[in-house]
Amino acid sequence: MEKLAVIIPAAGSGTRMGSFKPKPFIILGDKPIIWHTINAFLKLDSLIQIIIPTSEEWLNEVEIICESLPKNKVQFDVIVGGSERQFSINNGLKFLHDDVDLVAVHDAVRPFIDWHLIKKVCKRALTYGGAIVGVPAKDTIKKVGENQTIIDTPNRTSLWQAQTPQIFRRELLTKAYNSAIEKDFFGTDDASLVERIGGDIKIVEGDRKNLKITYPIDLKIAEMILKENEEI
Ligand code: CTP
Ligand code: MG
């Protein structure tokens, strides 16, 4: 079986949420958001390592959260992240265990990821080199320029919203990150870095429950989803 590592970036400051604590540490139900996220990945047999980049002040808190998770054989590395998500992931890549074949990147603030879906994306990534979760865009997307003037309306039928996990063969992701950092290229997700070096990446249709907790309204929705999941 392939060996999987997941990098769970948790070094953001949560500007859009405007909360006192960074988002991964906000309590959802009775546990921090990141606890739910890590717990979903622990259900995968192929998982051998979890790397969590976070800010220096939160290193200790993440260690405590990791200890409170169900007992497992996975190696945890809690490390210092960077000023941008891309730098946090790049720091994480340096800690990969030698045996790892596939690397997943999954936002700490997407706690409702289903492990069956992660498995499906892993399979695709093994075959093609890279695969990510996404959903077809539900709103019409506008390209907007200066003075809030609309420049273009791309055809919605070909537009998808990228989510995480984004999973790649180890060599491909490492090469993409090294190249992006060297050339000062910035992308808002991992796939865009791999696309840049010509990688073949598939998108797997995911679940709208896999929301990224970003604004206060998302936290309210998350509480509702958690309640519903507990009732099932
Ligand atoms: N992240 C990170 N390092 C950064 C910025 C973000 O590890 N320098 C992480 C966040 O902690 C989060 C994930 O990347 O788990 C997705 O980022 P986002 O939702 O944008 O979170 P924040 O950057 O914290 O929020 P905001 O953009 O509103 O400040
Ligand atoms: Mg951000």
Side-chain angles (χ1 to χ4, degrees), residues 9-16 23-24 53 82-85 88 107-109 212:
S13 50
T15 321
R16 288 169 289 182
K23 297 184 292 180
S83 56
E84 298 286 339
R85 182 184 183 279
S88 295
D107 295 322
V109 292
K212 179 156 78 79

Side-chain angles (χ1 to χ4, degrees), residues 48-90:
I48 65 163
Q49 186 181 21
I50 299 179
I51 302 170
I52 306 174
T54 192
S55 53
E56 213 150 348
E57 313 91 275
W58 291 91
L59 286 170
N60 195 38
E61 181 70 18
V62 175
E63 296 277 6
I64 293 168
I65 293 168
C66 291
E67 276 161 27
S68 76
L69 283 150
K71 286 272 164 280
N72 59 77
K73 293 176 289 185
V74 174
Q75 175 182 327
F76 281 86
D77 290 285
V78 180
I79 64 159
V80 178
S83 56
E84 298 286 339
R85 182 184 183 279
Q86 188 169 316
F87 294 140
S88 295
I89 310 295
N90 193 53

Side-chain angles (χ1 to χ4, degrees), residues 52-209:
I52 306 174
T54 192
S55 53
E56 213 150 348
E57 313 91 275
W58 291 91
L59 286 170
N60 195 38
E61 181 70 18
V62 175
E63 296 277 6
I64 293 168
I65 293 168
C66 291
E67 276 161 27
S68 76
L69 283 150
K71 286 272 164 280
N72 59 77
K73 293 176 289 185
V74 174
Q75 175 182 327
F76 281 86
D77 290 285
V78 180
I79 64 159
V80 178
S83 56
E84 298 286 339
R85 182 184 183 279
Q86 188 169 316
F87 294 140
S88 295
I89 310 295
N90 193 53
N91 290 357
L93 287 171
K94 300 192 179 103
F95 284 81
L96 283 177
H97 192 286
D98 285 347
D99 294 345
V100 167
D101 307 302
L102 280 183
V103 183
V105 180
H106 185 72
D107 295 322
V109 292
R110 291 188 191 268
F112 299 118
I113 184 64
D114 181 76
W115 67 275
H116 298 97
L117 181 60
I118 307 173
K119 258 179 104 166
K120 204 165 153 186
V121 183
C122 281
K123 256 194 183 160
R124 282 288 169 94
L126 266 181
T127 311
Y128 297 99
I132 74 167
V133 175
V135 289
K138 66 176 176 183
D139 295 318
T140 297
I141 309 288
K142 301 286 185 189
K143 188 168 178 197
V144 178
E146 275 175 37
N147 299 321
Q148 298 197 313
T149 304
I150 294 171
I151 300 171
D152 191 20
T153 306
N155 187 344
R156 198 182 62 196
T157 53
S158 64
L159 294 178
W160 286 58
Q161 290 170 228
Q163 300 180 342
T164 68
Q166 304 200 346
I167 308 182
F168 307 88
R169 284 189 170 277
R170 179 211 191 120
E171 318 77 58
L172 183 62
L173 188 64
T174 313
K175 191 172 160 202
Y177 265 83
N178 287 343
S179 168
I181 300 279
E182 193 196 330
K183 294 278 177 345
D184 265 339
F185 174 85
F186 275 93
T188 50
D189 72 346
D190 313 285
S192 57
L193 274 51
V194 178
E195 287 157 38
R196 186 179 156 267
I197 62 159
D200 185 5
I201 310 165
K202 300 293 172 198
I203 195 154
V204 177
E205 183 159 359
D207 186 344
R208 291 182 197 275
K209 274 189 192 172

